Amino acid sequence: MKDGKKESTAQEQNKKNPKPKRANKLAFLLTSAHQVRSPLTTADTSLMVLLQDYAGALSAKQRMLVESAERKVRLGLSLVNDMLAINKLLSGNVLDAFEAVDLSQLAGKVTESLSSAAKDKGVEFLTHVKGRLPTVWAHPEGIRSIIYNLLDNAIRYTPRTGRVDLSLSYDSEKNTLLGEVSDTGIGIPTECHEMILEDFYRAPNAKNTVVTGTGLGLSIVRKSVELHGGSLEFKSKPGSKTTFNFSLPLAQISAKTLDNIEKSKKRRMRIIVIGGVAAGPKAAAKARRMDPRAEVIIVERGMFLSYAGCGLPYYISGQVADQKDLMTSPIGENRDPEFFKLIKDIVVMSPAEATSIDREHKLLEVRSRDKTRKLPYDKLIIATGSTPVLPKIDGIRKKNVFTLHGVEDAEGLKRELMAEESKDAVIIGGGPLGIELAEALTVAGARVTVIEARHQILGMLDFEMAALVRRHLESKGVRILTDIKPKKIEGKSAVSGVVIKNKVIPADLVISAAGLLPNVNLAKEAGIKIGPTGSIEVNEFLQTSDPDIFAAGDCAENQSIITGKKSRSSLASIANRQGRVAGINAAGGREQFLGSIRAMVFKVFDFHVGSSGLTEREAVASGLDVESVIVPGPDRAHYYPTSKMLYIKLIADKKDGRLLGAQVLGPGEASKRLDVVTAMLSQHASLEELSKLDHSFAPPYSTALDCLTVAANVLRNKLEGLHRSISSIELKKKLDRGDNLFLLDVRTPHDHERHSLPGSRLMPLAALHSCMNELPREKEIVIICELGSLAYEAALILQANAFPNVVALDGGLASWPYPIGK
């Protein structure tokens, strides 16, 4: 009985005091509104894509159903956005959101938006406005919510042939807006009057009449009235007329004050950003933070905003499960137009295409859904990105030939790979994107062939390093063909194969990853200067030849910090850095973009592959006299369980020892070594400074002398003449020519038996002192070991014993890029 009494008492208490529970419910809903909006926005975008026939032409019946669904989803979005707007209105310093409100115009828009709903229901809707409603100082969303929600409720709960009346007047002596909304609807039961204005409360007869409803409409009215310091009263009972009266003290704005406000608005700077993927959103966001009063607009021709394009291969492979994860912020916010508007106060026009720039009158022509208009701008930022290169191959536009330059491309590939039968995929292009795709498609179950026209894959690496990556790819089942250009893509309508030389490679899919070209046509047609790289020419402030127009990202020039030469880049890291600088300067700042080191890293199965600065090939082409070294070694203490191998190549200037570049790859931790090199390159540091850098150490993270330090010391020894080595490329040339060499393998007999260079003589390091007289002094002796360190020790021993011509194989057999004997 006691338990029963306690339960009864608790139930009674809840009935008497339901406000805390409803308040918690409202707080939860407002907190969750962004999460509710994200799936609605995704659904709305998908439905819009269907209506644009992206997935094929819709039948009349299908179009009707999709249009109906799109209207419902958009209605849901409208409701959620209203809630978010009210939440913003009721939190923080709401006085900052007050502005000049034309009451006549606002009331007209509200009644116009609801008149069709009343007409469709057969409800007579009358508006009575006494005199001219003035412009007042108020919160526009708050005033709109009061009138809209009272009328919306009245129309919804008034039966057919009923009547709804709105009366508005302004008392100029008391500076007060007086309003009345009456209806001949179902009425409010007397016992519900006390609760009707609370969050989520709906009277029983309301629930029986209209099934849907949140119970927030009258609550929002009450909160908005309180916000303006007004009063709200109502009279109602079931089966009788319901009347709501509100009184809002609103100060009238004089014509002079209104004119000053309008002039102030006109003085707001307008910054328009063309492009909404990488550099564009970054520029817009930074411009907004620099100038909170500026009007910032993004014009994006695609359906998807600010998505992580670099993550698309991982979405294809399934490592990123949900497409929307590529379009959300780190805290889960969907980066859609509503997000930019509500969170960042940036207007997004999407899908909308910038078609021309009138520099003389500072107008940007924009076409959106068959409508064209001209937008005035103060500053313009061009972030139009790049377009994939389509090789000139017969059949390149057949069905199932893809690029990977957007979410749509990724979705198409994903659909094809989801088919039950296994797929043969051919990738044209062996750059970083092509290699990332090779992994993604292999993981997704396809048989992959990569065709590269040049002598090697991965042009950001030197040949011997690229060959190590190639060997790793081939060990994972990826077929690599270099020095080959496809002749033709076969198939009737869809792809069936790719013709190379005199044979056909079977293919169900072909992906062109042959590079990117900057989108500069818009700038070029406007008379903006294009640089020798084919990108938009910019100065250190990212200004184009027109000082009021900036450019950033793939379409803009980049500059090498090492050589000072102009270059082109398609890296998201550089695009975001340039976007930030362009945003600062468009908003009146003076920030310099000094160029880049071209640091990049990516994953190839369980290999990490990266480079920073110049390759040896590029350095030589720039006229520099260089020295290089390859040093394999563990990324952490060799005895630690997670220790893995890294291959490090360093390049330095022989003349002054200046560090020029690095390449790091292997299953070990590559990115932190590359970041160290990038920082040093940015400061024009020497190899000596790199070798003396203090690294943090613990066995789980590095060796006592980090592998990067070891590599720097080896290269310093070469520059100072303390160590002589030969690269694998040079040794291969000598072997092919039949030079008079003696190959000395100083490893153990077991290692020599496992694999060795043909013709090499085994003499373990421990036996070298006693057996060195067996070695020919008249020949060049090339000393070989697994990683290079034993060969270095052996070379020092032989040099100390007057052997005149001794060199060690750079990087040992672990770095040998060619086929090797057993």
Side-chain angles (χ1 to χ4, degrees):
M1 290 294 291
K2 287 182 180 180
D3 289 344
K5 282 186 178 179
K6 285 182 180 179
E7 186 178 349
S8 176
T9 303
Q11 290 173 348
E12 290 175 5
Q13 186 63 33
N14 285 340
K15 289 179 181 177
K16 291 178 182 178
N17 189 22
K19 290 184 182 181
K21 184 181 287 187
R22 292 197 181 95
N24 291 339
K25 189 175 181 182
L26 178 62
F28 172 77
L29 186 57
L30 290 174
T31 302
S32 304
H34 287 300
Q35 281 70 33
V36 173
R37 186 191 62 195
S38 292
L40 284 174
T41 303
T42 301
D44 185 55
T45 300
S46 299
L47 291 169
M48 287 295 296
V49 169
L50 287 174
L51 289 172
Q52 292 176 0
D53 295 331
Y54 174 75
L58 299 176
S59 67
K61 190 172 183 179
Q62 287 171 334
R63 185 169 294 278
M64 180 184 70
L65 291 171
V66 174
E67 285 176 346
S68 175
E70 200 274 333
R71 284 195 297 271
K72 297 295 184 184
V73 171
R74 190 160 288 277
L75 176 62
L77 268 174
S78 177
L79 291 172
V80 169
N81 288 332
D82 280 348
M83 287 174 56
L84 290 170
I86 291 297
N87 184 41
K88 187 176 180 181
L89 179 151
L90 298 178
S91 61
N93 186 6
V94 296
L95 293 179
D96 289 343
F98 275 53
E99 59 183 69
V101 177
D102 186 332
L103 290 175
S104 290
Q105 188 180 72
L106 185 146
K109 287 183 178 179
V110 172
T111 54
E112 182 182 354
S113 68
L114 290 170
S115 59
S116 60
K119 184 178 179 181
D120 291 344
K121 194 173 179 185
V123 173
E124 186 179 9
F125 178 26
L126 300 175
T127 302
H128 314 275
V129 179
K130 184 179 179 181
R132 165 75 182 174
L133 298 179
T135 298
V136 296
W137 191 252
H139 195 297
E141 183 58 34
I143 301 297
R144 191 200 72 82
S145 295
I146 294 169
I147 301 172
Y148 180 90
N149 282 295
L150 289 176
L151 287 175
D152 183 54
N153 268 5
I155 293 169
R156 283 201 295 153
Y157 296 114
T158 297
R160 185 174 292 278
T161 72
R163 174 171 167 167
V164 173
D165 287 87
L166 168 67
S167 297
L168 294 171
S169 64
Y170 185 80
D171 187 334
S172 56
E173 292 183 3
K174 296 181 180 180
N175 285 331
T176 302
L177 175 67
L178 303 172
E180 179 180 290
V181 175
S182 63
D183 64 69
T184 59
I186 62 174
I188 304 170
T190 304
E191 65 272 18
C192 299
H193 283 201
E194 185 179 346
M195 302 299 303
I196 199 67
L197 298 179
E198 297 299 328
D199 303 332
F200 299 106
Y201 184 81
R202 298 184 73 207
N205 60 337
K207 293 179 181 178
N208 293 333
T209 305
V210 179
V211 177
T212 59
T214 64
L216 281 173
L218 291 178
S219 167
I220 290 173
V221 171
R222 174 178 61 81
K223 294 175 189 292
S224 298
V225 169
E226 291 172 353
L227 174 69
H228 288 86
S231 62
L232 177 68
E233 298 175 348
F234 68 92
K235 295 178 182 179
S236 180
K237 60 182 180 179
S240 178
K241 183 178 181 181
T242 297
T243 302
F244 278 85
N245 291 94
F246 59 87
S247 173
L248 304 174
L250 301 173
Q252 186 173 351
I253 298 178
S254 66
K256 184 177 180 180
T257 302
L258 185 60
D259 184 56
N260 289 337
I261 292 172
E262 290 301 318
K263 286 180 180 177
S264 176
K265 282 184 178 179
K266 289 178 182 177
R267 285 196 296 271
R268 290 179 68 195
M269 177 183 286
R270 174 180 275 187
I271 300 169
I272 300 181
V273 180
I274 308 171
V277 177
K282 176 61 71 175
K286 188 59 184 177
R288 157 61 61 243
R289 289 192 287 271
M290 287 290 294
D291 186 353
R293 293 186 67 256
E295 182 182 6
V296 182
I297 300 171
I298 295 175
V299 178
E300 167 55 37
R301 66 181 180 180
M303 294 293 296
F304 301 101
L305 286 167
S306 194
Y307 62 85
C310 296
L312 291 175
Y314 307 108
Y315 172 60
I316 291 168
S317 68
Q319 291 165 286
V320 175
D322 197 332
Q323 178 202 100
K324 74 176 184 180
D325 292 338
L326 301 176
M327 305 176 197
T328 56
S329 67
I331 59 171
E333 294 280 1
N334 191 35
R335 291 188 289 245
D336 53 24
E338 287 78 11
F339 166 81
F340 279 95
K341 179 59 182 172
L342 293 174
I343 304 300
K344 298 186 177 293
D345 192 24
I346 294 170
V347 174
V348 175
M349 299 175 65
S350 171
E353 184 175 7
T355 52
S356 68
I357 302 169
D358 181 348
R359 291 167 51 207
E360 182 180 355
H361 301 98
K362 300 183 80 169
L363 295 171
L364 177 68
E365 184 178 86
V366 177
R367 183 172 62 242
S368 176
R369 296 182 182 177
D370 299 325
K371 292 182 180 179
T372 300
R373 54 176 166 162
K374 293 187 176 182
L375 304 177
Y377 66 84
D378 295 296
K379 303 292 181 182
L380 189 66
I381 300 174
I382 302 175
T384 46
S386 56
T387 299
V389 174
L390 281 178
K392 294 179 179 179
I393 304 170
D394 186 20
I396 193 69
R397 298 193 180 275
K398 287 185 184 294
K399 184 182 176 184
N400 286 8
V401 177
F402 297 90
T403 59
L404 188 62
H405 198 59
V407 176
E408 296 92 342
D409 294 332
E411 284 295 345
L413 272 170
K414 190 94 169 174
R415 280 197 304 271
E416 293 298 324
L417 290 168
M418 286 175 67
E420 291 185 6
E421 67 272 15
S422 58
K423 297 284 184 180
D424 287 299
V426 172
I427 299 170
I428 301 173
L433 177 60
I435 298 307
E436 283 182 317
L437 275 171
E439 177 193 346
L441 295 173
T442 301
V443 171
R447 294 179 293 269
V448 180
T449 300
V450 177
I451 301 175
E452 170 57 51
R454 294 173 298 180
H455 183 51
Q456 67 171 74
I457 59 171
L458 299 173
M460 28 72 76
L461 301 177
D462 284 313
F463 171 79
E464 63 271 41
M465 298 295 277
L468 295 176
V469 181
R470 174 175 181 165
R471 187 166 68 194
H472 186 64
L473 282 161
E474 290 173 337
S475 75
K476 300 295 183 180
V478 178
R479 185 184 183 192
I480 307 289
L481 303 175
T482 52
D483 284 318
I484 290 176
K485 292 183 179 180
K487 292 183 176 181
K488 182 181 179 182
I489 297 175
E490 289 192 332
K492 293 182 179 178
S493 59
V495 171
S496 64
V498 177
V499 180
I500 60 167
K501 295 185 177 178
N502 296 319
K503 65 178 181 176
V504 178
I505 302 174
D508 303 298
L509 303 168
V510 172
I511 302 96
S512 176
L516 299 168
L517 286 176
N519 292 326
V520 299
N521 285 344
L522 184 68
K524 193 173 183 179
E525 290 171 2
I528 294 170
K529 190 174 181 181
I530 307 300
T533 66
S535 303
I536 300 171
E537 185 176 289
V538 291
N539 63 13
E540 67 270 32
F541 304 106
L542 298 185
Q543 286 172 301
T544 67
S545 53
D546 184 324
D548 290 325
I549 299 178
F550 300 79
D554 289 9
C555 66
E557 278 184 338
N558 189 19
Q559 179 174 299
S560 169
I561 290 177
I562 300 172
T563 65
K565 293 180 180 179
K566 296 291 184 180
S567 62
R568 224 166 62 196
S569 81
S570 299
L571 295 174
S573 53
I574 294 174
N576 277 270
R577 286 174 52 222
Q578 285 191 329
R580 186 178 189 276
V581 171
I584 290 172
N585 294 334
R590 200 68 175 161
E591 182 90 354
Q592 287 184 309
F593 180 78
L594 299 177
S596 78
I597 299 297
R598 197 196 62 188
M600 61 187 302
V601 65
F602 56 96
K603 189 173 79 70
V604 182
F605 295 99
D606 52 349
F607 253 39
H608 308 287
V609 179
S611 70
S612 186
L614 302 179
T615 63
E616 184 174 7
R617 181 182 64 254
E618 290 168 335
V620 171
S622 297
L624 298 171
D625 186 13
V626 303
E627 188 64 87
S628 68
V629 73
I630 296 176
V631 179
D635 66 338
R636 57 202 80 191
H638 67 276
Y639 52 80
Y640 196 78
T642 58
S643 175
K644 295 177 181 177
M645 182 65 71
L646 277 179
Y647 301 86
I648 299 176
K649 177 170 184 176
L650 294 179
I651 302 103
D653 192 328
K654 279 185 181 179
K655 182 177 68 175
D656 55 11
R658 182 165 63 105
L659 185 64
L660 298 175
Q663 296 154 52
V664 186
L665 59 90
E669 172 52 64
S671 63
K672 78 173 187 176
R673 276 83 190 186
L674 280 167
D675 287 340
V676 170
V677 170
T678 300
M680 301 299 282
L681 287 169
S682 299
Q683 300 302 313
H684 304 283
S686 68
L687 184 67
E688 181 180 357
E689 288 170 313
L690 175 63
S691 72
K692 293 180 178 179
L693 200 63
D694 194 10
H695 294 258
S696 59
F697 164 66
Y701 304 109
S702 68
T703 51
L705 277 181
D706 189 78
C707 53
L708 183 60
T709 302
V710 172
N713 284 333
V714 173
L715 185 52
R716 279 189 69 194
N717 287 340
K718 286 188 72 172
L719 287 173
E720 293 168 10
L722 301 176
H723 172 53
R724 292 181 60 210
S725 66
I726 185 170
S727 71
S728 55
I729 296 175
E730 187 59 31
L731 177 57
K732 182 68 164 58
K733 288 178 181 177
K734 289 190 174 190
L735 291 172
D736 290 344
R737 288 196 305 258
D739 288 8
N740 191 22
L741 302 177
F742 185 87
L743 304 182
L744 177 63
D745 191 333
V746 295
R747 296 175 299 155
T748 65
H750 172 75
D751 289 336
H752 183 76
E753 179 67 23
R754 182 168 52 87
H755 69 161
S756 59
L757 289 185
S760 59
R761 162 80 182 275
L762 175 66
M763 187 177 289
L765 183 62
L768 188 59
H769 281 283
S770 59
C771 299
M772 69 173 67
N773 289 332
E774 300 174 17
L775 300 177
R777 292 180 178 272
E778 71 281 2
K779 290 187 178 183
E780 181 180 13
I781 299 175
V782 179
I783 307 177
I784 300 164
C785 70
E786 193 65 30
L787 301 179
S789 55
L790 293 182
Y792 173 54
E793 297 286 348
L796 291 178
I797 293 171
L798 294 182
Q799 287 167 5
N801 284 274
F803 279 83
N805 197 0
V806 178
V807 293
L809 175 60
D810 215 4
L813 286 180
S815 305
W816 183 256
Y818 306 101
I820 196 166
K822 291 187 178 181

